[in-house]
Amino acid sequence: MPQATTRPIVGEVVGPRPTGLELFGRGPRARGLEATAARRPALEKMGIVSVQDLLQHYPRRHVDRTKLHTIAEIAHAVTEGTVGQEVQIHATVDQMSKPVRIPNKKKPRSTRTLIKGRIKDETGSIDVTWFNQEWVARKLTPGTQGFFYGRLGTFRGKLQMTAPRFELVKTGHEPFNVGRIIPIYPATADMTSDQIRKLMWDSMNRIGEVLDPLPDEIRREVHLISRNDALRNIHFPDDAEDVFKARARLIFDEVFTLQLGLVYRKRKLELSVRGIPHPEPKADSLPEIFVAELPFELTKAQRKACEEVASDMTKSYPMHRLVEGEVGSGKTVVAVYACLIAIAGKRQAAIMAPTEVLAEQHHLTVNELLDRAFGADEARNLFADVSKRPVVRLLTGSTPAAQREEILDGVASGNIDLLIGTHALIQEQVAFQNLALAVVDEQHRFGVHQRKALMDKAGEDAGSPDILVMTATPIPRSLAVTIYGDLDVSILDELPRGRRPIATRVALGEKDRRAAYDVIRSQVTAGRQAFVVYALRDESNKTELRSAKGEAARLAKEVFPDLAVGLVHGDMKSADKEEAMNAFREGRTDVLVATTVIEVGVDIPNASVMLIEDADRFGLAQLHQLRGRIGRGPHDSYCILSTDVDLSTADDDPSVAAVAERLHAVASTSDGFKLAEVDLRQRGEGQLFGARQSGMPQLKMVRVLQHQDIIKRARDIATRIIDEDAELRAYEHTWLRTEMEDRFPDGALEVVQSG
């Protein structure tokens, strides 16, 4: 009988199965929240329906209530000159006056709202005041207890706290409210921070241990505490050091499983999806002739992006690349270069844009570029039977039926080389003969399934098309790697030569608005054209904002009666919209009144001035995009950000301060990447991640600009793990895989072709 041999069994369980609450467990693995029926609706509005949701409702900040002082102690410290910058008091509301309007010394014609009150404890009382916060008078009624913290001052010899922050509590003697470092939670009118803290305290006393999916060797490598300790310390720390260690672990967890999923998806694409390899472009190839015949020289960034695209398209797996660039940085040229690589191989390409205006602009721009390189005759052979001038067509929801049928036939037969369009491209009737490249512009406006539907047009047996996604919203590289970690990234951070700088300024009120009208008139007199942009299409009873429709009529009649004033907005019929744009493009319209329908894809070199009304109602990225519609010709250009908001009140009103920061940031720089950082600080990572619409896990603790080193380290470790264990089947990676799948929505890791 032969002697038995001992061989290791791959995947054999080598230790006890980890136990404990799974932080990201979904469905039946999520633990129910033990909250009263009265509290559940308020919690659900905050997205809290399970213990897991509650544990990830992290504190906004922590307050050290081990150092509370009485009012008498603070008064003595003021007398001695030893009081710190901020003080904390546990006190009861003694008096609260009704809001009073007083003249604004900074702006004589306006007023400010003053709220005065008094708070007390067993040792004395202190005056409190707020400006422009009328809700405080409703919230703080006599007898209400709370913790007040803020800066001290004196007024007419009396001690005073100006605009203190506060938190109301029942008695102030609960173990989760006093004598410790206290978490202050994001809250609502229906669910206060104090109520959340009580629920958190009770829940953490019930849940036991929290499962830690991170292998010990990685935890030691990055010097992290356990997840169980991190969660307990972030909510109820013993000291400040506990908070720092907890944040480090939770931040790493957020980015690590995110990067793990993105690297997993990217590797799966490379290993399991068959692409359509193309030959490397030679000097006499379609794409290189196209570049040689351009009326300008490519920037270094454009050239590098084209080389990266060409390298990707020669591989056996599909290209999966993001081209991110400044407004006007030349992304379309890179897209056409990629399309010509596919077309040179006798295959087809498609460009999908989110709006008809943008699709029409792409159609116009692409044809102009191809005409210059190859002539306008689509039937003319360039190199005998090698190739011909590419045939380009536009398909949108407004394409006439007869023309639509002709286009569908041309696409199906392969006679159309490049199809440009909107969502119409992914309709069932559209069937390509051999689609090899899909370009998706402003990709964040499309959902994951829409992008996948376009790529599925290649057919099951043809191989998966290359995909090139583009965005004109500049994103810092660290954020691009985080959001688009499953794509290779090309960044166009240079503007083509000859682009003129755009002088931008903020206009306040009616006087500055009239001055802006004078700028428009002087530019039109010099032969230029102007945009006037409004946030609203129609007038509304709910707001006093100006509307495009109403203002177009007023400007044409009262302000510019001698000029040709046009109007374009998203609710117009396509034919009317196209006519309005053509009239402006051809110079038949001097001033075009518009909504944000012109935000992307509009290229009018003769437009040299833009007035954006109610600019405070636009996002920072949107303002930058709108401004990018001018400055495209050889003329000096001017962008005017008009607002009726009183920016002088920024010191007293945080919402006004945010508006002022946004407007002055746009006025101070044309660098979209710098503006993206301001936008990131104002809106937070969660909002930007949500824009991708492709199932990105939510970030709560991570601040991309602040945590770039952690993101890079998490990316490197995730790459190392996936390279060693592509399917995460090793025992020590079992719970990492489970958590990765939990954090990415159903199917997100499988839709590898979708971006």
Side-chain angles (χ1 to χ4, degrees):
M1 187 171 181
Q3 185 176 357
T5 58
T6 302
R7 288 184 293 180
I9 300 174
V10 177
E12 181 180 6
V13 174
V14 295
R17 179 185 177 90
T19 60
L21 181 134
E22 298 172 55
L23 184 58
F24 296 97
R26 292 193 294 165
R29 290 183 289 113
R31 183 173 297 188
L33 193 62
E34 295 185 28
T36 64
R39 294 272 167 80
R40 287 185 182 279
L43 288 165
E44 288 176 3
K45 287 182 181 178
M46 301 172 72
I48 300 174
V49 296
S50 67
V51 170
Q52 281 89 343
D53 296 331
L54 180 66
L55 293 180
Q56 293 178 77
H57 189 75
Y58 299 124
R60 178 179 287 120
R61 63 182 183 277
H62 294 81
V63 175
D64 188 353
R65 288 188 183 159
T66 63
K67 300 176 182 177
L68 287 174
H69 299 286
T70 66
I71 292 175
E73 288 173 336
I74 292 171
H76 178 72
V78 170
T79 302
E80 296 293 319
T82 59
V83 70
Q85 289 294 308
E86 281 203 349
V87 296
Q88 303 173 59
I89 307 169
H90 174 224
T92 302
V93 178
D94 185 29
Q95 296 179 6
M96 185 59 57
S97 68
K98 294 182 179 180
V100 177
R101 296 199 174 276
I102 61 174
N104 186 341
K105 294 180 180 180
K106 295 181 180 179
K107 201 163 187 179
R109 295 185 181 181
S110 64
T111 60
R112 294 194 294 173
T113 303
L114 172 66
I115 299 94
K116 297 179 65 176
R118 182 186 303 144
I119 57 176
K120 65 179 182 179
D121 65 10
E122 65 275 9
T123 68
S125 63
I126 184 173
D127 291 340
V128 285
T129 61
W130 289 266
F131 285 99
N132 298 325
Q133 298 183 58
E134 296 185 35
W135 60 273
V136 169
R138 298 190 296 271
K139 198 77 173 178
L140 296 179
T141 56
T144 303
Q145 285 194 51
F147 291 95
F148 297 80
Y149 32 102
R151 293 178 180 273
L152 279 177
T154 57
F155 181 69
R156 294 178 180 174
K158 296 180 66 177
L159 205 57
Q160 177 177 277
M161 292 180 78
T162 301
R165 301 186 300 277
F166 59 87
E167 182 188 10
L168 306 184
V169 295
K170 288 183 179 179
T171 67
H173 301 294
E174 301 89 343
F176 47 85
N177 273 333
V178 294
R180 62 184 311 124
I181 297 176
I182 298 297
I184 305 298
Y185 293 98
T188 66
D190 299 323
M191 197 71 190
T192 66
S193 181
D194 183 51
Q195 291 169 332
I196 295 171
R197 190 181 306 120
K198 171 67 165 64
L199 182 61
M200 190 74 71
W201 179 270
D202 292 342
S203 296
M204 296 206 77
N205 286 332
R206 283 194 293 262
I207 62 172
E209 287 288 311
V210 177
L211 184 145
D212 195 336
L214 197 64
D216 287 342
E217 63 180 48
I218 296 177
R219 189 157 61 83
R220 289 191 295 268
E221 177 185 343
V222 193
H223 307 293
L224 299 172
I225 63 175
S226 71
R227 177 175 285 178
N228 182 73
D229 289 346
L231 285 168
R232 295 185 182 280
N233 289 346
I234 197 67
H235 292 295
F236 297 104
D238 290 331
D239 53 42
E241 188 64 24
D242 282 350
V243 178
F244 297 141
K245 291 179 179 178
R247 288 181 62 84
R249 173 59 200 266
L250 297 173
I251 288 167
F252 183 84
D253 282 354
E254 285 191 349
V255 296
F256 179 62
T257 49
L258 167 63
Q259 292 298 336
L260 198 67
L262 294 173
V263 174
Y264 173 85
R265 192 157 70 179
K266 188 173 188 295
R267 288 290 186 267
K268 190 167 184 178
L269 171 72
E270 294 169 357
L271 295 173
S272 62
V273 179
R274 181 169 57 90
I276 305 170
H278 302 274
E280 185 176 343
K282 303 298 182 183
D284 59 351
S285 64
L286 280 182
E288 287 301 318
I289 289 177
F290 164 72
V291 168
E293 294 297 327
L294 287 172
F296 49 83
E297 184 179 349
L298 294 186
T299 64
K300 291 181 180 178
Q302 281 178 310
R303 186 74 256 184
K304 182 181 179 183
C306 287
E307 290 170 357
E308 290 168 338
V309 164
S311 176
D312 287 351
M313 294 181 72
T314 64
K315 292 183 170 64
S316 60
Y317 54 85
M319 174 174 68
H320 214 212
R321 181 167 292 277
L322 167 73
V323 176
E324 173 198 349
E326 267 284 15
V327 175
S329 60
K331 294 179 296 297
T332 303
V333 169
V334 177
V336 174
Y337 185 90
C339 290
L340 290 174
I341 292 176
I343 293 168
K346 299 187 178 180
R347 293 182 179 273
Q348 294 169 294
I351 298 177
M352 185 165 71
T355 66
E356 289 193 359
V357 168
L358 182 52
E360 290 162 0
Q361 180 65 51
H362 275 317
H363 184 246
L364 182 70
T365 302
V366 169
N367 274 305
E368 287 177 348
L369 292 172
L370 293 178
D371 287 350
R372 179 177 291 273
F374 308 120
D377 185 0
E378 293 172 338
R380 181 173 64 85
N381 283 341
L382 289 176
F383 313 109
D385 62 343
V386 176
S387 185
K388 58 185 175 61
R389 195 275 197 193
V391 178
V392 184
R393 293 292 182 268
L394 174 68
L395 181 66
T396 69
S398 303
T399 303
Q403 187 179 344
R404 177 184 176 82
E405 289 302 317
E406 182 181 336
I407 291 173
L408 293 178
D409 289 343
V411 171
S413 66
N415 290 329
I416 292 176
D417 301 303
L418 172 58
L419 185 62
I420 300 172
T422 56
H423 297 75
L425 268 60
I426 59 176
Q427 292 177 350
E428 187 177 348
Q429 303 93 318
V430 181
F432 289 84
Q433 185 187 71
N434 49 18
L435 181 65
L437 171 69
V439 178
V440 183
D441 196 11
E442 292 301 319
Q443 60 85 39
H444 60 278
R445 301 194 185 190
F446 293 102
V448 62
H449 297 295
Q450 291 170 314
R451 296 195 294 274
K452 185 176 186 301
L454 176 59
M455 300 192 70
D456 285 346
K457 294 294 182 181
E460 296 181 2
D461 301 325
S464 184
D466 293 309
I467 183 166
L468 184 70
V469 295
M470 302 194 296
T471 178
T473 302
I475 302 172
R477 182 177 287 276
S478 60
L479 180 58
V481 170
T482 306
I483 298 182
Y484 304 109
D486 52 342
L487 286 81
D488 296 303
V489 180
S490 295
I491 294 182
L492 304 183
D493 52 5
E494 300 175 80
L495 292 180
R497 294 178 183 175
R499 288 295 298 267
R500 305 283 291 182
I502 302 170
T504 306
R505 66 179 178 86
V506 179
L508 303 175
E510 190 59 36
K511 181 179 179 181
D512 284 354
R513 181 174 291 107
R514 289 195 296 270
Y517 292 156
D518 291 340
V519 173
I520 290 174
R521 181 174 294 282
S522 67
Q523 285 295 296
V524 172
T525 301
R528 310 284 82 79
Q529 294 165 280
F531 291 101
V532 182
V533 182
Y534 294 90
L536 297 183
R537 180 185 67 239
D538 296 291
E539 293 181 356
S540 171
N541 294 328
K542 298 180 181 180
T543 178
E544 296 180 358
L545 295 180
R546 297 168 178 81
S547 70
K549 284 184 178 180
E551 287 297 289
R554 185 186 71 85
L555 291 174
K557 183 177 180 181
E558 300 177 13
V559 182
F560 304 120
D562 53 329
L563 303 181
V565 178
L567 172 66
V568 64
H569 56 78
D571 202 36
M572 294 170 66
K573 293 180 179 179
S574 280
D576 295 337
K577 193 161 39 181
E578 186 175 354
E579 170 55 28
M581 291 306 304
N582 284 337
F584 193 59
R585 190 176 288 112
E586 295 166 5
R588 292 181 279 125
T589 300
D590 301 311
V591 178
L592 183 63
V593 176
T595 59
T596 54
V597 70
I598 61 140
E599 181 182 346
V600 292
V602 174
D603 187 2
I604 313 292
N606 194 47
S608 63
V609 60
M610 175 177 286
L611 168 61
I612 304 177
E613 287 281 10
D614 298 309
D616 51 282
R617 300 299 292 252
F618 295 89
L620 196 152
Q622 202 170 33
L623 291 171
H624 183 57
Q625 289 274 21
L626 286 167
R627 175 172 60 181
R629 299 311 103 204
I630 60 175
R632 292 173 169 261
H635 320 290
D636 290 335
S637 295
Y638 309 89
C639 180
I640 303 161
L641 310 174
S642 178
T643 180
D644 290 319
V645 173
D646 183 2
L647 300 186
S648 69
T649 64
D651 291 341
D652 299 323
D653 189 333
S655 63
V656 175
V659 167
E661 181 186 27
R662 197 158 63 239
L663 297 184
H664 290 312
V666 177
S668 65
T669 182
S670 59
D671 187 333
F673 291 91
K674 290 182 180 178
L675 294 176
E677 294 188 4
V678 177
D679 198 26
L680 194 59
R681 287 199 304 270
Q682 283 203 347
R683 293 198 296 155
E685 284 80 357
Q687 293 293 323
L688 294 178
F689 271 72
R692 193 183 175 196
Q693 298 182 30
S694 64
M696 296 298 295
Q698 187 176 5
L699 296 183
K700 296 184 177 183
M701 298 286 283
V702 175
R703 298 294 176 265
V704 172
L705 298 178
Q706 182 181 342
H707 301 137
Q708 295 181 53
D709 291 344
I710 299 175
I711 292 169
K712 184 180 185 305
R713 191 162 196 183
R715 175 78 172 182
D716 292 343
I717 294 173
T719 301
R720 186 179 75 207
I721 288 176
I722 295 296
D723 285 346
E724 294 173 354
D725 182 12
E727 292 295 327
L728 298 176
R729 297 300 185 193
Y731 172 75
E732 64 270 23
H733 299 151
T734 301
W735 287 100
L736 277 179
R737 181 185 175 97
T738 299
E739 182 163 300
M740 177 185 74
E741 292 171 342
D742 283 341
R743 289 199 67 198
F744 282 81
D746 295 333
L749 292 168
E750 300 304 319
V751 187
V752 292
Q753 299 102 317
S754 64

